[in-house]
Amino acid sequence: MTRWNNGLDEVEAVSPDITDETNALPAQYFTDPDVHEMEKEAVFGQYWVYAGHVNCIPEPGDYFTRTIGDREIIVVRNHEGDVQAFYNVCAHRGSAMVEETPMTDPGSASRIQCPYHLWTYDLDGDLASTPRSFEEARLNPDLEDEDVPELDAEENALMEVHSDRIGPFVFVNFDEEPMSLDEQAGKMKSELEALPLEEYQLARRIVSEVECNWKVFGGNYSECDHCQANHQDWVRDLELLESELEVNDYHWVLHYQHKEDVDDEMRIHEEHEAKFYYFWPNFTVNMYGTADGYGTYIIDPIDEGRFQLVADYYFEDPDLSEEEAEFVRTSRQLQEEDFELVERQQRGLDSGAIAQAQLGPNEHTVHKLHRLAQEAYEA
Amino acid sequence: MSQHHQPAFTIACEACGVDTDTDSANEIVAFYRRHHRQTGHDVVLTRADLEFDLPVADDDLESVVAELEAHYDDGVPIGVVAAVMSERGYAVGETLEEIDDVRMTGALYEPRDDHLAAV
């Protein structure tokens, strides 16, 4: 039974049993600004979150920035060729250093320099140099030059953020002692790393703002019970009844069978299906069954009622063929159809009538999403 | 019979083919900042319904802000400046760059965050 805000029904935590009537996250978690603030730490500060793709920063010194919650980081390739992530914060007086630099238009620098007082850092984050005014005390009558302590390069390095990779995908974690990415990703890691993902280049990034909570969209992405009614063009070529929704610890996979088999050249993966991975909390990998390429989504919250969908499309050649451009257009059509659905759901949630919705028996992927959210809030 | 509400502003990214509606002038700028952070793209206004006639002053930003100040008590929202400058062919990012340039000359200041006044 759905629980209404009628003064009679009470909400409960998400039941681990999907057949219980309290199998969904209470509505407040989709509409409350305090929840949005809390999630910055409880969700996006505790789990591995996608930062970007290494192919966008191929050379030492290449970098991009990424903002997760209130944290702005620099993702940079160092002189050894490794990718590291640092807070975009100078060790001197806490200034942000580099301007926002999207992955689609990366920057390049031999060193990272703060424009405020010109503290300069090597690509591995160590302090490389400071101006003379930090080495001598000519303006301070109370100090002799020899009293000025030398600044240790490592002790005054940039603050590094835990980072790790699944193939070319860079993830970061702000927790002091995070679980390993291997643990969070489970078998998704080995499955994705078996594919030649590095051989594909970012061809298009399309960013849309959608008026719903990020978890509303996440839930919509995670099931296809709505597809027959709302994605009629797309499902025409699918055997929806043969689809499989596979749930793992922190990710779930949607397997969609095509009615007619497609040439192997039209897929990056081996299975004759479309395969969509949702990786908690807000990243998806979209293995299309009908295009030699793949896509990713970042489901980035703006506030409790809005998010940005950052849709990246990867193909072997970043200059899209006519067919590939048409494929991206079809993908955008699907997005727009979904935006209409999720914005309508948010409107209903915002009206305050419902206290705790209920999930259907085949929405076990959505149930997993809600349970992980609940787990994060209680941690 | 209810009337369909027409939002005051529509902002679009021509490169992404996406747009958004808002009634808040400064949401124009917030949208630009969020979108530019992810893509590097500039955005344009495809609709701007201001509650007053557009200033007919020179195209220079300082004059535009000075004329708009008559409509506001505590600074002109920069989104309104962006809307007016869009009528003069400026994308939102171009207007913000111009604002930064003019502010650095000392001719404009912010009496409060994201609101402009002429000195």
Side-chain angles (χ1 to χ4, degrees):
Chain A
M1 178 189 86
T2 293
R3 299 194 171 189
W4 297 102
N5 267 324
N6 56 6
L8 303 173
D9 297 338
E10 289 184 3
V11 300
E12 292 178 32
V14 185
S15 169
D17 182 347
I18 197 170
T19 64
D20 284 350
E21 62 181 36
T22 55
N23 61 7
L25 202 58
Q28 165 206 355
Y29 291 101
F30 300 92
T31 60
D32 186 340
D34 291 341
V35 171
H36 169 68
E37 287 304 314
M38 176 263 287
E39 284 178 339
K40 288 178 183 177
E41 200 54 47
V43 175
F44 298 98
Q46 304 294 331
Y47 295 91
W48 289 92
V49 178
Y50 180 65
H53 199 288
V54 295
N55 284 7
C56 295
I57 44 172
E59 303 296 333
D62 289 352
Y63 70 90
F64 57 84
T65 63
R66 169 103 164 88
T67 301
I68 297 166
D70 295 327
R71 297 170 165 107
E72 193 178 315
I73 60 170
I74 308 170
V75 180
V76 60
R77 193 179 285 271
N78 65 24
H79 286 299
E80 284 69 50
D82 298 323
V83 172
Q84 289 180 273
F86 304 100
Y87 278 90
N88 184 19
V89 178
C90 180
H92 171 215
R93 280 164 57 188
S95 173
M97 298 178 296
V98 304
E99 291 304 307
E100 288 172 340
T101 308
M103 188 177 91
T104 50
D105 188 18
S108 185
S110 56
R111 287 176 164 178
I112 300 165
Q113 186 175 66
C114 179
Y116 196 2
H117 297 89
L118 305 184
W119 284 38
T120 305
Y121 301 87
D122 284 325
L123 298 179
D124 61 4
D126 285 357
L127 182 64
S129 69
T130 55
R132 271 179 64 185
S133 59
F134 292 91
E135 296 162 5
E136 55 187 39
R138 63 181 184 276
L139 298 181
N140 187 340
D142 299 329
L143 270 185
E144 297 298 327
D145 286 353
E146 53 269 24
D147 296 330
V148 178
E150 195 175 327
L151 290 166
D152 181 85
E154 285 186 28
E155 286 179 359
N156 294 281
L158 297 177
M159 184 170 172
E160 188 164 8
V161 179
H162 297 289
S163 63
D164 201 350
R165 284 167 52 176
I166 297 175
F169 301 137
V170 181
F171 293 85
V172 292
N173 192 311
F174 298 102
D175 198 14
E176 282 179 24
E177 294 180 359
M179 76 168 104
S180 67
L181 178 59
D182 289 16
E183 183 185 347
Q184 190 179 314
K187 64 180 186 153
M188 183 180 99
K189 182 170 161 62
S190 55
E191 286 180 17
L192 291 179
E193 288 187 339
L195 302 172
L197 300 177
E198 285 93 340
E199 294 172 18
Y200 291 71
Q201 304 298 320
L202 178 61
R204 291 293 303 274
R205 165 170 282 196
I206 297 172
V207 178
S208 307
E209 290 199 4
V210 189
E211 291 185 24
C212 77
N213 183 273
W214 67 278
K215 300 183 296 297
V216 168
F217 184 86
N220 180 79
Y221 177 98
S222 301
E223 50 88 7
C224 211
D225 280 1
H226 68 275
C227 293
Q228 195 71 57
N230 296 283
H231 299 310
Q232 291 174 6
D233 287 349
W234 186 57
V235 300
R236 198 173 295 133
D237 300 326
L238 294 179
E239 293 285 7
L240 274 184
L241 292 177
E242 290 182 29
S243 62
E244 181 198 345
L245 307 184
E246 169 202 339
V247 176
N248 299 282
D249 286 349
Y250 294 97
H251 77 278
W252 39 101
V253 191
L254 294 82
H255 304 262
Y256 296 128
Q257 300 292 321
H258 292 272
K259 281 181 179 165
E260 288 185 21
D261 208 1
V262 179
D263 286 348
D264 285 352
E265 290 73 33
M266 289 300 289
R267 274 192 315 279
I268 179 172
H269 52 298
E270 286 187 4
E271 299 89 339
H272 291 220
E273 62 181 11
K275 199 170 179 182
F276 298 107
Y277 290 85
Y278 191 111
F279 185 46
W280 168 260
N282 68 330
F283 180 61
T284 80
V285 183
N286 311 321
M287 298 293 178
Y288 309 110
T290 54
D292 184 15
Y294 61 92
T296 62
Y297 286 169
I298 310 170
I299 305 163
D300 251 358
I302 297 169
D303 53 32
E304 69 282 0
R306 292 182 301 168
F307 79 95
Q308 278 187 313
L309 183 71
V310 182
D312 290 332
Y313 296 90
Y314 295 85
F315 290 94
E316 284 185 306
D317 185 341
D319 295 324
L320 296 183
S321 67
E322 210 168 291
E323 291 79 10
E324 288 164 344
E326 178 62 21
F327 178 84
V328 171
R329 199 200 62 76
T330 303
S331 170
R332 283 280 303 123
Q333 179 193 338
L334 270 175
Q335 286 169 24
E336 290 295 333
E337 289 168 352
D338 280 327
F339 295 166
E340 191 176 2
L341 302 176
V342 295
E343 289 185 343
R344 193 184 295 136
Q345 186 187 351
Q346 188 71 30
R347 241 174 58 211
L349 291 167
D350 285 342
S351 75
I354 206 161
Q356 188 164 17
Q358 56 180 328
L359 301 174
N362 296 305
E363 293 176 326
H364 47 303
T365 46
V366 187
H367 184 235
K368 185 68 182 180
L369 174 74
H370 288 203
R371 287 197 65 210
L372 284 170
Q374 179 89 57
E375 194 179 290
Y377 303 154
E378 291 170 353
Chain B
M1 197 174 79
S2 67
Q3 285 197 315
H4 180 66
H5 169 70
Q6 180 91 316
F9 305 103
T10 300
I11 317 125
C13 172
E14 290 166 338
C16 285
V18 300
D19 58 29
T20 191
D21 296 326
T22 182
D23 283 321
S24 159
N26 273 3
E27 179 59 24
I28 295 166
V29 175
F31 175 84
Y32 162 77
R33 287 171 177 156
R34 289 191 299 265
H35 197 81
H36 188 264
R37 179 189 298 158
Q38 302 278 22
T39 63
H41 299 158
D42 207 336
V43 301
V44 295
L45 275 120
T46 55
R47 184 175 59 244
D49 292 334
L50 293 167
E51 295 166 357
F52 45 80
D53 291 335
L54 291 177
V56 290
D58 303 335
D59 280 358
D60 77 279
L61 191 79
E62 195 181 338
S63 304
V64 167
V65 172
E67 197 161 340
L68 287 170
E69 272 191 274
H71 300 279
Y72 298 94
D73 291 334
D74 196 14
V76 184
I78 54 172
V80 170
V81 178
V84 171
M85 294 304 283
S86 78
E87 296 288 325
R88 291 155 166 74
Y90 283 73
V92 175
E94 290 172 335
T95 296
L96 295 186
E97 279 180 30
E98 182 73 6
I99 288 171
D100 285 344
D101 289 348
V102 178
R103 279 185 62 188
M104 294 309 282
T105 69
L108 295 174
Y109 70 103
E110 279 193 331
R112 56 193 168 118
D113 190 37
D114 282 346
H115 291 70
L116 286 173
V119 172

